[in-house]
Amino acid sequence: MKHLLIILFCTPILLKSQISTDSERLSKMEYMKLSSKINCDSTTGSNLEHKICLNLNFQKLDSTLNSSYLKVLNVIESDSLKTLFVQGQKQWLKNRHTQSVIRSEIYRGHLLGIKYLSFMVLTTQNRIEELKSLTLD
């Protein structure tokens, strides 16, 4: 019974560990207040519109990433492997942010945001494919 209680209390911690603060942080950027006025299927090509649409795309992809992560987590039976997987995903999230900052550092203004978001999108798409390959989706 003692082990069952430990598992029940630890499982929510494992499941919540993927929740990305990047998506939350980016969705609250000041420029995102204009997102309801932008049609990403038909933009004028401005840098601001591009940045908003990249941000919206990232948020969708990050949600997909969370779902893919949970699918993999749910098929792992070993507690030690689950722990390793959770730790690896946390490290991957930190690395995604760090690499995006490094790649966009030389830019300024909207271009900085565009380069940062572009790499976040690309990296997230790649990670989704990696996770899908683990669940044979």
Side-chain angles (χ1 to χ4, degrees):
M1 181 69 170
K2 182 179 177 182
H3 295 290
L4 180 60
L5 290 174
I6 291 172
I7 291 171
L8 289 175
F9 286 117
C10 291
T11 301
I13 294 168
L14 289 174
L15 295 178
K16 289 182 81 174
S17 67
Q18 166 57 30
I19 296 173
S20 173
T21 58
D22 285 328
S23 186
E24 292 170 24
R25 178 181 53 81
L26 290 170
S27 70
K28 294 176 183 171
M29 298 297 285
E30 186 69 25
Y31 65 86
M32 289 305 288
K33 290 179 180 177
L34 301 172
S35 66
S36 63
K37 298 177 183 176
I38 304 294
N39 177 357
C40 292
D41 295 326
S42 175
T43 66
T44 64
S46 76
N47 285 341
L48 178 60
E49 287 175 326
H50 189 56
K51 188 164 67 167
I52 289 170
C53 293
L54 278 169
N55 193 321
L56 293 171
N57 187 28
F58 170 73
Q59 289 175 46
K60 287 178 193 170
L61 286 169
D62 202 54
S63 177
T64 301
L65 176 67
N66 287 331
S67 296
S68 298
Y69 166 81
L70 290 174
K71 280 182 185 176
V72 173
L73 192 62
N74 286 329
V75 298
I76 299 173
E77 294 178 8
S78 163
D79 288 342
S80 60
L81 286 178
K82 277 188 182 193
T83 300
L84 282 174
F85 180 67
V86 169
Q87 290 171 348
Q89 186 67 6
K90 285 180 180 179
Q91 190 58 46
W92 180 86
L93 288 168
K94 289 177 187 175
N95 187 57
R96 173 182 69 177
H97 174 73
T98 301
Q99 291 299 317
S100 297
V101 168
I102 290 169
R103 289 176 182 246
S104 62
E105 186 177 290
I106 63 171
Y107 300 94
R108 297 289 170 251
H110 289 303
L111 281 180
L112 183 145
I114 289 169
K115 294 297 182 180
Y116 175 84
L117 286 163
S118 294
F119 192 73
M120 292 286 280
V121 165
L122 177 65
T123 307
T124 303
Q125 287 170 329
N126 291 340
R127 183 62 174 169
I128 291 167
E129 292 306 313
E130 289 173 11
L131 294 175
K132 281 182 179 180
S133 73
L134 295 174
T135 59
L136 303 175
D137 279 350

